[in-house]
């Protein structure tokens, strides 16, 4: 008996979305992780958890803390095991087989995969010059089967930011608009304040980047209370574990510490951008995130050469060859530049 014969053919045909494992000893600039680590309070909080008990299915304390952080009501908050699970919750609630989801490539690959997991149809509306959002083209792509529009803002992997006016124009389509603000703390801007009066707006946030909790998987969404009530039905009862909840609470209590690290990362991002531009080997786009997007014809070869030197970055082929490089510590940037020098010497030889 071949189990594959019983599997969904559309899933079997998909490319593997999981990146290769990153060695802890490598210079990890491929996953937009925060090299400064979490608040010291997180480690203290984790020693006090009671893992023998199920977590609060409504994560009441965490929702209240997040609501205070964002100046919204706790009734607007839904939590998840990372932002990826939140994508599953959203599409589980809104998609019937054959319904359409609009994405704006190049963008976060999971929008496409989670749509296909949920029997939806992906409609791609490519971004314009400098990766701007073509709102008019999105409007033309909307049909009676359109349920959700995904806007990554700032965008991953390109790092650019769409303005509030673009979000408001997308909301005017009367479709569900998911604004993914995974990097909002680095951008210093948000449309969270629109959620209370916009029933078709879902704002996706994460504690992975700015709070350095990527390994504990804690995400959340800010929505209109009427939508939150239904989203609670679409999630698993105990989807956020006690360790993640305790870590999230501790992080929110130590925001000043974490935001100092955000400032350090932004400063290093700008220093690294200048150093990469000085190489004269391509174009490094302005960024509102904790990473840089560097268009360079040598992207694929450089990724391979850098990995041999223990420096990990992400390569992209669409729409043009490019590298996405996490902004880390000054020491990590120095290791990257040294490895780039070796890579160019090897490619030239």
């Amino acid at each position: 008996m071949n189990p594959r014969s019983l599997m969904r053919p559309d899933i079997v045909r998909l490319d593997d979305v999981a990146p290769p494992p990153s060695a802890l000893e490598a210079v990890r600039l491929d996953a937009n992780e925060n090299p400064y680590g979490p608040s010291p309070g997180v480690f203290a909080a984790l020693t006090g958890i009671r893992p023998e008990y199920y977590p609060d299915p409504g994560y009441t304390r965490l929702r209240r803390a997040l609501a205070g952080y964002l100046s919204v009501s706790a009734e607007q908050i839904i939590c998840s095991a990372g932002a990826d699970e939140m994508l599953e919750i959203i599409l589980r609630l809104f998609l019937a087989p054959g319904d359409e989801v609009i994405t704006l490539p190049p963008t976060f690959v999971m929008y496409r995969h989670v749509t296909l997991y949920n029997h939806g149809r992906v409609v791609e509306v490519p971004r314009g010059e400098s990766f701007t959002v073509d709102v008019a083209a999105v409007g033309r792509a909307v049909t009676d089967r359109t349920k959700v529009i995904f806007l990554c803002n700032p965008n991953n992997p390109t790092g650019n930011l769409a303005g509030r006016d673009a979000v408001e124009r997308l909301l005017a389509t009367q479709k569900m608009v998911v604004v993914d603000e995974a990097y909002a703390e680095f951008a210093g801007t948000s449309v969270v304040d629109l959620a209370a009066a916009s029933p078709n707006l879902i704002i996706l946030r994460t504690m992975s980047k700015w709070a350095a909790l990527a390994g504990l998987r804690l995400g959340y969404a800010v929505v209109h209370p009427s939508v939150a009530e239904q989203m609670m039905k679409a999630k698993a009862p105990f989807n956020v574990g006690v360790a993640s909840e305790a870590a999230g609470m501790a992080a929110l209590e130590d925001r000043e510490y974490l935001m100092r690290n955000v400032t350090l990362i932004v400063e290093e991002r700008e220093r690294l951008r200048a150093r990469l531009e000085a190489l004269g080997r391509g174009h490094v786009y302005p960024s509102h995130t904790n990473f840089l997007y560097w268009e360079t014809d040598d992207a694929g070869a450089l990724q391979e050469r850098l990995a041999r030197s223990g420096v990990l970055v992400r390569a992209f082929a669409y729409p043009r060859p490019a590298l996405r490089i996490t902004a880390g510590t000054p020491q990590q940037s120095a290791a990257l530049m040294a490895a780039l020098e070796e890579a160019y010497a090897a490619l030239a030889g």
Side-chain angles (χ1 to χ4, degrees):
M1 183 267 176
N2 180 9
R4 184 165 175 160
S5 67
L6 303 178
M7 298 177 187
R8 281 175 48 187
D10 56 324
I11 298 294
V12 172
R13 287 193 299 267
L14 283 176
D15 295 331
D16 185 2
V17 72
S22 295
L24 288 176
E25 65 272 14
V27 180
R28 296 162 60 119
L29 304 179
D30 60 332
N32 303 338
E33 294 157 326
N34 185 329
Y36 292 101
S39 158
V42 166
F43 300 102
L46 290 176
T47 64
I49 63 172
R50 298 293 301 272
E52 68 269 31
Y53 296 120
Y54 285 111
D56 171 13
Y59 23 76
T60 306
R61 293 174 61 246
L62 179 58
R63 291 169 77 190
R64 287 174 180 165
L66 288 165
Y69 171 51
L70 298 177
S71 299
V72 300
S73 72
E75 290 71 27
Q76 292 179 253
I77 304 286
I78 303 292
C79 298
S80 60
D84 291 343
E85 191 208 15
M86 187 59 70
L87 298 177
E88 285 279 3
I89 293 170
I90 292 167
L91 295 189
R92 187 180 302 144
L93 177 60
F94 286 100
L95 283 196
D99 282 344
E100 296 171 354
V101 170
I102 294 177
T103 68
L104 311 175
T107 195
F108 186 39
V109 67
M110 285 305 298
Y111 306 149
R112 172 181 176 80
H113 280 259
V114 177
T115 298
L116 297 175
Y117 297 159
N118 287 277
H119 302 281
R121 177 172 175 263
V122 179
V123 177
E124 296 184 337
V125 178
R127 289 169 175 263
E129 190 68 24
S130 299
F131 308 113
T132 56
V133 176
D134 190 341
V135 178
V138 173
R140 292 191 295 270
V142 169
T143 72
D144 292 341
R145 297 303 301 268
T146 304
K147 290 291 186 69
V148 175
I149 301 169
F150 279 115
L151 172 64
C152 193
N153 201 39
N155 189 45
N156 178 9
T158 59
N160 62 304
L161 186 69
R164 175 176 290 251
D165 61 322
V167 175
E168 292 174 337
R169 290 171 64 194
L170 291 175
L171 290 172
T173 65
Q174 299 298 301
K175 305 301 180 180
M176 296 305 300
V177 178
V178 179
V179 179
D180 185 344
E181 293 189 345
Y183 301 92
E185 282 80 6
F186 299 95
T189 186
S190 172
V191 294
V192 161
D193 58 292
L194 297 178
S198 304
N200 63 323
L201 175 61
I202 298 175
I203 298 163
L204 186 58
R205 302 290 288 263
T206 179
M207 302 291 284
S208 293
K209 315 300 182 184
W210 76 284
L213 298 181
L216 285 172
R217 314 307 300 128
L218 180 57
Y220 61 99
V222 185
V223 300
H224 190 274
S226 64
V227 178
E229 181 181 2
Q230 303 306 317
M231 288 178 69
M232 288 292 282
K233 300 176 185 177
K235 74 172 188 67
F238 305 112
N239 63 322
V240 175
V242 292
S244 299
E245 182 176 19
M249 294 284 295
L252 292 168
E253 291 171 2
D254 202 3
R255 297 196 292 270
E256 184 176 344
Y257 171 88
L258 293 172
M259 290 308 296
R260 284 198 299 269
N261 290 341
V262 167
T263 298
L264 292 175
I265 291 169
V266 169
E267 291 173 350
E268 186 57 29
R269 180 194 72 201
E270 293 308 300
R271 285 192 291 268
L272 180 59
R273 183 185 177 213
R275 296 173 76 177
L276 293 173
E277 282 281 20
L279 295 175
R281 299 278 190 152
H283 176 58
V284 187
Y285 284 84
S287 176
H288 297 270
T289 65
N290 68 336
F291 60 83
L292 292 167
Y293 190 75
W294 179 24
E295 278 189 354
T296 175
D297 292 338
D298 300 319
L302 284 176
Q303 181 194 38
E304 182 180 341
R305 290 284 178 177
L306 291 173
R308 294 181 190 177
S309 299
V311 178
L312 307 179
V313 297
R314 283 287 301 275
F316 294 85
Y318 172 85
R320 294 169 293 276
L323 293 177
R324 191 195 67 193
I325 303 174
T326 305
T329 64
Q331 293 77 15
Q332 288 176 319
S333 293
L336 168 69
M337 298 308 297
L340 278 172
E341 184 177 351
E342 292 179 5
Y344 279 126
L347 290 174

